[in-house]
Amino acid sequence: MDQDRIEGVTRYAVVGDPVAHSQSPRIHTLFAEQTGEELIYTKQRVTVDEFTQFVGSFFAENGGGLNVTLPHKETAFELADGHSRRSKLARAANTLWLGDDGSLQADNTDGAGLVHDLSINNRITLTNRKLLVLGAGGAARGALASLVECGLSSITVLNRTLARATALKADFAAVYPINVQDFTSARLSPHDIIINATSMSLSGYIPPLDPDLLSDHCCCYDMMYSPKPTAFMDWAKRHGAGKVFDGIGMLVEQAAESFFVWRGVRPETADVIATLQRVSA
Ligand code: NAP
């Protein structure tokens, strides 16, 4: 049966290119079963050229909400009429829906997902800790939109392209004084938390990093998730990081936050994270 055609049930989808690997339909279907919410959630490959028209048609045909992934997060933000504070800071959106007046609304739940996974699921203290973020792309921006509110003692962003990090610094300047450097010139003291928000793990590489960046108790978090530890996780373990995590918890938590935005119901996430870890093991 074509799930898209069940009448009377609200449709949701994740759109991206590529999107075949996305776990979002599985996660939202588990949330719907758990909460008793009736909905259909699919994945749609949508190219850059098709994206704007796809969003218009989806909502014109009574679609309930979209999750947006690479490479459309910035365009999704620009298309929207209304923006949450965190999507404004990130200048990127991963969650779209129609407001009561029919206007297109945008949120970015990536940062809330990451902060929840770090601080609640993994019990990492953020207050008064020194944070280092690797990367200055959409994921780093989304993460920082929530991390700036966590009472960190400092935030430094390292990025290959310094101009991109400098633009990020400028966009966040009114809310937090982020330090930025590129990988080659960085001379840094040890940090308490290091988050890899580059896409390098996708190809099995890590940025050039000095192991002296790791403090004794350092927590290293790779936003990427895969059945095997990522190259960054391997590097962190090899050099004695205290705690090392991948991004599966962030993925489920950002989805839970989107589900809450759309349906007003917050799903439990622990069992869903465990299910995904089992399936991908
Ligand atoms: P993006 O906007 O394309 O940014 C990519 C980042 O990686 C940029 O900072 C880029 O640096 C850097 N980079 C790429 N190749 C590099 C290389 N060879 N050497 C050094 N730096 C390199 O991508 P994104 O949306 O931020 O996504 C980044 C990662 O986060 C992806 O792995 C994605 O799967 C993950 N993610 C996970 C979740 C989750 O829920 N767990 C959510 C969102 C994203 P330049 O600026 O120099 O190009």
Side-chain angles (χ1 to χ4, degrees), residues 70 135-139 159-161 164 197-200 223 247 250-251:
L70 274 174
N159 199 48
R160 174 180 60 179
T161 309
R164 204 172 180 191
T198 72
S199 50
M200 290 185 79
M223 285 196 194
M250 173 182 175
L251 178 73

Side-chain angles (χ1 to χ4, degrees), residues 194 196 206 209 211 214-216 218-222 230-245:
I194 305 179
N196 183 20
I206 58 163
L209 290 173
L214 295 166
S215 63
D216 292 345
C218 186
C219 162
C220 288
Y221 191 104
D222 199 336
T230 66
F232 174 70
M233 292 166 74
D234 280 341
W235 173 85
K237 282 179 192 157
R238 212 168 45 247
H239 294 291
K243 292 186 173 165
V244 179
F245 304 105

Side-chain angles (χ1 to χ4, degrees), residues 259-270:
F259 194 93
F260 179 69
V261 167
W262 292 326
R263 308 292 295 192
V265 180
R266 187 173 294 283
E268 292 295 326
T269 49

Side-chain angles (χ1 to χ4, degrees), residues 130 132 134 156 158 183 186-194 207-216 218 220 232 235 239:
K130 284 175 70 176
L132 181 63
L134 312 176
T156 300
L158 297 186
F183 288 110
R187 298 282 174 273
L188 296 170
S189 55
H191 280 64
D192 304 305
I193 302 166
I194 305 179
L209 290 173
D210 182 347
D212 288 346
L213 282 172
L214 295 166
S215 63
D216 292 345
C218 186
C220 288
F232 174 70
W235 173 85
H239 294 291

